Amino acid sequence: MFNLFLMGCLFFLTLSIMAALYRVIKGPSMPDRVMALDNIGVNLIAGVAILSILLRTHAFLDIILLIGILSFVGTIAFARFIERGVVIERKHIQ
Amino acid sequence: MKPNDVILHSVTKAAVVIILTFSIYLFFGGHHNPGGGFIGGLSTASGLVLLYLAFDIETVRTNIPIDFKKVAGFGVLLAIMTGFGSIFFDVPFLSQTFGHFDLPIFGETELATAVLFDVGVALAVIGTAITIILSISEDG
């Protein structure tokens, strides 16, 4: 019963990722795509958490934190590229 | 127009501490849990990359005055030295050993020479990743 519930959660997470994927492909502007990629990262975190409950292991809990960190750094890099046109500045304008 | 990054700077100052702590946890947990030198080094590099993103190259270079090419070279040297250290005890190259020691704070702790090899791997990974990213971003 509980496994069925978890499988349903995974199914709806997959639907959510596919909806975000539609926004990545179809998104009219660049910030739409970046927000959709960030949303996919959050949904992946939830998917890994549910999968680790389903498999009854805690070996994937590090992966959850790691996806969070990498998604955050990636989103920051995209946002800086869109706003400034350069990802890592040589000298900050004071 | 002067850009205002106060939110990004504040979040980065808090997040970098968490990321570096997590990378140290991944590094030392590598013997019995998922983790190890490679992923520990990569998450350390991602924390440093976050610093480079939020601030700029000059600020980070004045605050962390480390040449990352030398870090990569020192890591490879350390990994090779632990391999050659086993030759002096009449065992094959890269043999590893471990022992239980009574440390003051930690109590009885298992210390392995594989940790030294892992330190070398982590330093090589950090140095290589940061060197690649910095040399790509030069005059971008």
Side-chain angles (χ1 to χ4, degrees):
Chain A
M1 183 61 206
F2 189 59
N3 276 0
L4 208 66
F5 182 68
L6 290 175
M7 289 296 227
C9 287
L10 279 180
F11 174 70
F12 282 113
L13 279 173
T14 314
L15 280 188
S16 172
I17 287 178
M18 283 172 74
L21 212 57
Y22 172 76
R23 183 48 70 192
V24 169
I25 296 168
K26 192 81 176 174
S29 69
M30 219 52 193
D32 286 334
R33 296 192 170 96
V34 174
M35 287 303 293
L37 279 177
D38 201 32
N39 190 17
I40 287 177
V42 173
N43 283 321
L44 271 182
I45 293 174
V48 172
I50 288 178
L51 202 66
S52 71
I53 297 174
L54 204 58
L55 297 177
R56 288 182 172 71
T57 171
H58 56 267
F60 297 146
L61 297 187
D62 298 339
I63 305 300
I64 293 172
L65 213 49
L66 206 62
I67 295 174
I69 290 170
L70 291 184
S71 166
F72 174 66
V73 174
T75 308
I76 294 284
F78 272 124
R80 283 193 76 93
F81 179 69
I82 289 171
E83 194 187 353
R84 306 267 174 82
V86 58
V87 177
I88 298 180
E89 288 179 320
R90 165 169 291 281
K91 190 87 183 73
H92 195 66
I93 308 142
Q94 288 293 338
Chain B
M1 194 186 82
K2 190 173 73 172
N4 188 1
D5 298 336
V6 65
I7 297 178
L8 180 59
H9 284 181
S10 311
V11 171
T12 301
K13 281 169 194 164
V16 162
V17 178
I18 300 171
I19 294 174
L20 292 183
T21 314
F22 176 62
S23 71
I24 292 171
Y25 161 71
L26 272 182
F27 174 75
F28 281 111
H31 203 71
H32 296 289
N33 293 312
F38 186 76
I39 190 70
L42 269 188
S43 49
T44 307
S46 75
L48 290 173
V49 165
L50 183 59
L51 273 181
Y52 279 114
L53 280 174
F55 300 96
D56 52 306
I57 295 180
E58 296 294 326
T59 310
V60 181
R61 191 173 282 160
T62 50
N63 286 298
I64 310 175
I66 299 172
D67 188 3
F68 284 98
K69 292 188 279 293
K70 286 177 186 163
V71 170
F74 180 72
V76 175
L77 185 71
L78 195 64
I80 291 178
M81 293 285 269
T82 56
F84 273 113
S86 61
I87 283 183
F88 297 112
F89 296 97
D90 274 344
V91 283
F93 180 63
L94 274 179
S95 299
Q96 308 287 350
T97 181
F98 67 98
H100 293 273
F101 297 96
D102 208 10
L103 294 182
I105 300 172
F106 301 104
E108 189 178 343
T109 313
E110 179 187 353
L111 293 179
T113 55
V115 175
L116 290 175
F117 184 78
D118 243 9
V119 168
V121 172
L123 287 181
V125 168
I126 292 171
T128 311
I130 298 291
T131 306
I132 288 173
I133 287 169
L134 281 188
S135 54
I136 286 175
S137 72
E138 295 275 320
D139 296 323

